[in-house]
Amino acid sequence: MAKEVTAVAAELRESFGKGAARKLRVLGKIPAVIYGHGTEPVHVSLPAHRIALLLRRANMLLELDIEGAKQLVLVKDVQKDPVKAIIEHIDLVVVRKGEKVQVEVQVHMSGESFAGTIADFDTKTLLLEVEATNIPENVTVSIEGLEDGAQIHAKDVPLPDGAVLISDEDALVVYIHTPRGEDEAEAETEVITAGTPAATPAA
């Protein structure tokens, strides 16, 4: 399922630097810059709370209302305070309908592997080239009935129409394995015990 375009009100800003950014955050706003398509960077501020909620989802496509002018943008980079986890700055890139962009998309699993086995991710995202206005929420791969030792590589993951895989097609995505059981652990303990010299009784 493709992402919906979300409308967000933005304000132009003329003050820059750390001091100006701190003042914006006190007012509940986040500094951001819009760039792309050979245009001059545009500095704006965005509503902090609304943006924080939206950024819980990856690859957010926003339609900014910049004092009456509409601009379609993709969230490209989010800078956070490493301690407080507060959003400090956002980079936005201009996109146009029909334009292709490269984005990291999450991989989901469906179904259940063979009884007694476990399915684990080696990588949870794939880099895809897709239309900017048709970015998938995720891609899904089936593990139904797969047995111990089975592997799913990037080239095996079904992609939505129009999407192109940019990641290495041989990259391991999911692998199926059997967890180490109690019997195996006990057998190993017996081998170790058998190789240990018996204690000599005290005289």
Side-chain angles (χ1 to χ4, degrees):
M1 180 180 176
K3 293 179 179 296
E4 297 181 357
V5 179
T6 303
V8 176
E11 299 176 357
L12 290 172
R13 59 187 176 95
E14 299 179 354
S15 298
F16 310 102
K18 293 183 179 180
R22 279 195 294 269
K23 289 179 181 179
L24 278 177
R25 287 192 286 271
V26 169
L27 295 173
K29 300 177 182 179
I30 299 172
V33 62
I34 306 168
Y35 61 93
H37 289 287
T39 60
E40 289 293 322
V42 177
H43 299 269
V44 298
S45 62
L46 306 173
H49 181 66
R50 178 165 170 72
I51 289 297
L53 293 176
L54 292 174
L55 292 185
R56 291 178 179 177
R57 299 165 63 188
N59 302 317
M60 282 304 303
L61 192 63
L62 308 175
E63 183 180 65
L64 299 184
D65 184 338
I66 309 172
E67 301 180 359
K70 301 296 176 68
Q71 179 65 70
L72 194 63
V73 298
L74 179 68
V75 175
K76 195 66 176 178
D77 185 57
V78 179
Q79 299 171 25
K80 292 185 177 182
D81 181 290
V83 178
K84 299 179 181 178
I86 297 173
I87 299 175
E88 295 186 326
H89 188 273
I90 298 176
D91 286 341
L92 306 167
V93 61
V94 174
V95 295
R96 295 171 181 165
K97 291 183 178 179
E99 179 182 5
K100 298 279 189 176
V101 295
Q102 291 187 8
V103 292
E104 292 281 350
V105 176
Q106 288 191 336
V107 180
H108 287 185
M109 289 186 283
S110 67
E112 295 184 3
S113 57
F114 191 76
T117 63
I118 292 177
D120 278 329
F121 280 112
D122 191 73
T123 180
K124 293 185 177 182
T125 64
L126 291 178
L127 181 63
L128 305 181
E129 184 177 83
V130 296
E131 285 192 13
T133 54
N134 197 34
I135 301 174
E137 287 280 355
N138 54 67
V139 291
T140 303
V141 62
S142 174
I143 61 168
E144 186 64 36
L146 294 183
E147 299 182 0
D148 180 53
Q151 297 183 347
I152 298 174
H153 297 87
K155 61 186 176 185
D156 304 319
V157 179
L159 302 181
D161 291 342
V164 176
L165 177 67
I166 303 300
S167 295
D168 179 1
E169 64 176 18
D170 293 321
L172 179 61
V173 177
V174 176
Y175 61 97
I176 312 298
H177 63 100
T178 302
R180 185 185 173 95
E182 291 183 4
D183 292 342
E184 184 179 353
E186 288 177 0
E188 183 173 302
T189 301
E190 289 177 2
V191 169
I192 294 173
T193 302
T196 303
T200 302

